[in-house]
Amino acid sequence: MKQKRHWSKRVRWGRLLVLLGLLVGLCYSWPTYQPPGRPEVRLRLNYLERVIQEGATPPTTLGRLTQLNAEWGLFTLSFSTYALANLAQRQPDLRAEAAATIGRAIEVALTAPIRQPFEFSAPAEHAEPTLPSSVLYLGHLNLILGCHRQLVPNSPYQHLHDSLSAALAARYQQEPSGNLPSYPGRRWLPDNTVALASLALHSRLTGSAYAAAGHRWVARAQRKWLDPTTGLLASMVDAAGQPSEEPRGSHLGWSIWFLTQVDSAFARQQYALYQHHYSTNLGVLRLYSEFAHSYETGAGNVDSGPLILGYGIPATAFAFADAVALGDWRNAQRLRRVISLGSRKIRGGDELRYGVRLIDLEVNPLSEALLLWADVPGGG
């Protein structure tokens, strides 16, 4: 009898502990995500603005980053711009500062260190004669131009914005594969979503018809570019427009954010499927994998970064940006915790940036540009 009472007591304590665990999990899972406060944002902007003002010549921070990877220099400028544009929408008193910094980002993006790595061929028939034909470069440049024009309606770059948007729209109209190349023979869908988002923004700002390119692209994607098992976008297509690489987490997370600007319903659908097939919900945290149902550990590649049991830093970080953009605050909170666990603050004077904890990744200032972009939702 005594042994039975003792066992009953252990069961009650076990139930209490389980209940306590559930309550703690519920508290941590509650949709409490909030964007960073102004004092922290101020310090982070100080760092990024200094980097952009310095330009991209070899001795500069941005120049050294570009020498490591040409795309990283461009992405630092572009994602800093997207973060600034979002901040300016939420904080009108930042508009003048954001416009000035984005204007400087345009100047730097047009310089040789940023532009030349994408000059793999002569400009396409409808492209600006002084610009590369790579959709990777042109898409980001055009979206930066649009962000500047959004803040400065009489932007000195409005002619370039108009002519580049017209060139991109014409190329999409004539491209058999439906996707313009980033590099010779390499047509990545994520890079094309950026260009299509830039055309959608041009239409919102000027009333042009260029947003139709994005509508046609989404319709074709739904017919031809979705993986039959997951329903998610392929990563790449060939010259005939046939999928040539399976969906990847880093590419999906990236694409979804830009697709919110093109077709929000399709973006939300892809977000839900991405979450279903590529993520693991741990209650207080959520992790995203690079490949569906893959649990390999390895070095990965330049897009995925190192993989731990299949989970990747970019796949998870871009999912965080998607959750913030789509107002999925519960998931955003779980993902921000993952990022907080994997990052460390680096304070120097009146600047603040984030580094990667445990893994030596020399990607600043790109990592800070991406994190600030992901942290701050658009809208007022």
Side-chain angles (χ1 to χ4, degrees):
M1 192 70 177
K2 184 177 180 181
Q3 185 178 7
K4 186 176 180 180
R5 286 198 300 270
H6 179 67
W7 176 251
S8 178
K9 188 176 181 180
R10 289 178 63 185
V11 169
R12 286 198 301 271
W13 274 106
R15 288 174 177 172
L16 181 61
L17 289 173
V18 169
L19 179 61
L20 181 61
L22 289 173
L23 288 173
V24 170
L26 179 62
C27 290
Y28 275 102
S29 299
W30 202 255
T32 56
Y33 174 76
Q34 294 292 329
R38 282 197 175 208
E40 178 182 324
V41 168
R42 178 68 272 161
L43 297 175
R44 293 165 71 178
L45 283 179
N46 289 344
Y47 169 69
L48 286 173
E49 289 177 352
R50 175 180 61 80
V51 168
I52 292 171
Q53 289 297 330
E54 288 175 352
T57 54
T60 64
T61 302
L62 195 57
R64 293 193 297 272
L65 182 65
T66 300
Q67 289 177 331
L68 286 174
N69 185 304
E71 294 180 3
W72 292 353
L74 174 64
F75 294 165
T76 298
L77 296 171
S78 62
F79 284 97
S80 295
T81 290
Y82 310 149
L84 279 163
N86 283 351
L87 283 165
Q89 285 183 278
R90 300 179 65 83
Q91 302 175 23
D93 56 304
L94 280 177
R95 287 178 66 91
E97 177 184 339
T101 302
I102 294 172
R104 175 57 179 160
I106 294 170
E107 293 176 357
V108 178
L110 292 171
T111 62
I114 301 295
R115 186 190 73 247
Q116 284 181 345
F118 302 99
E119 293 176 342
F120 50 80
S121 63
E125 178 185 354
H126 297 285
E128 285 282 321
T130 58
L131 295 178
S133 60
S134 165
V135 74
L136 189 157
Y137 175 83
L138 294 180
H140 284 286
L141 175 61
N142 204 43
L143 194 50
I144 296 172
L145 292 168
C147 289
H148 190 261
R149 193 169 185 174
Q150 191 171 32
L151 297 174
V152 184
N154 62 341
S155 168
Y157 297 104
Q158 59 183 328
H159 172 71
L160 178 58
H161 187 217
D162 289 340
S163 59
L164 182 51
S165 295
L168 283 168
R171 289 178 64 186
Y172 275 111
Q173 188 77 35
Q174 299 177 10
E175 173 58 45
S177 72
N179 288 274
L180 305 177
S182 302
Y183 299 101
R186 313 288 280 179
R187 293 171 171 82
W188 276 285
L189 274 67
D191 295 336
N192 280 268
T193 63
V194 182
L196 295 167
S198 79
L199 294 178
L201 179 56
H202 187 277
S203 291
R204 291 195 294 273
L205 294 175
T206 70
S208 71
Y210 302 148
H215 301 154
R216 291 192 299 269
W217 188 94
V218 168
R220 188 168 180 180
Q222 292 173 321
R223 294 194 310 271
K224 295 189 174 183
W225 302 331
L226 299 184
D227 178 71
T229 302
T230 63
L232 286 160
L233 278 168
S235 291
M236 186 186 294
V237 298
D238 60 22
Q242 296 300 315
S244 58
E245 186 177 36
E246 66 183 294
R248 296 182 53 180
S250 55
H251 294 179
L252 291 165
W254 167 298
S255 297
I256 288 166
W257 191 90
F258 291 101
L259 285 171
T260 64
Q261 317 299 306
V262 177
D263 186 319
S264 60
F266 182 61
R268 286 185 179 277
Q269 179 190 61
Q270 287 290 292
Y271 174 74
L273 292 170
Y274 182 36
Q275 184 163 290
H276 178 71
H277 291 285
Y278 280 70
S279 76
T280 301
N281 184 5
L282 302 176
V284 299
L285 305 171
R286 195 176 208 121
L287 299 172
Y288 283 72
S289 57
E290 182 67 7
F291 300 99
H293 313 299
S294 173
Y295 304 99
E296 294 183 7
T297 296
N301 61 26
V302 70
D303 290 334
S304 70
L307 298 178
I308 302 175
L309 297 177
Y311 301 113
I313 295 173
T316 300
F318 286 130
F320 168 59
D322 299 337
V324 172
L326 293 170
D328 185 359
W329 305 122
R330 180 174 296 181
N331 201 35
Q333 182 70 357
R334 289 170 176 157
L335 290 162
R336 191 60 178 88
R337 290 193 192 102
V338 176
I339 293 171
S340 296
L341 289 172
S343 62
R344 57 192 174 90
K345 290 184 177 181
I346 302 172
R347 177 74 184 267
D350 64 347
E351 296 180 355
L352 174 66
R353 60 188 176 91
Y354 282 83
V356 180
R357 198 191 303 271
L358 303 178
I359 301 172
D360 184 20
L361 291 178
E362 291 296 330
V363 296
N364 275 103
L366 173 58
S367 59
E368 177 52 36
L370 287 167
L371 183 55
L372 187 60
W373 158 73
D375 255 331
V376 183

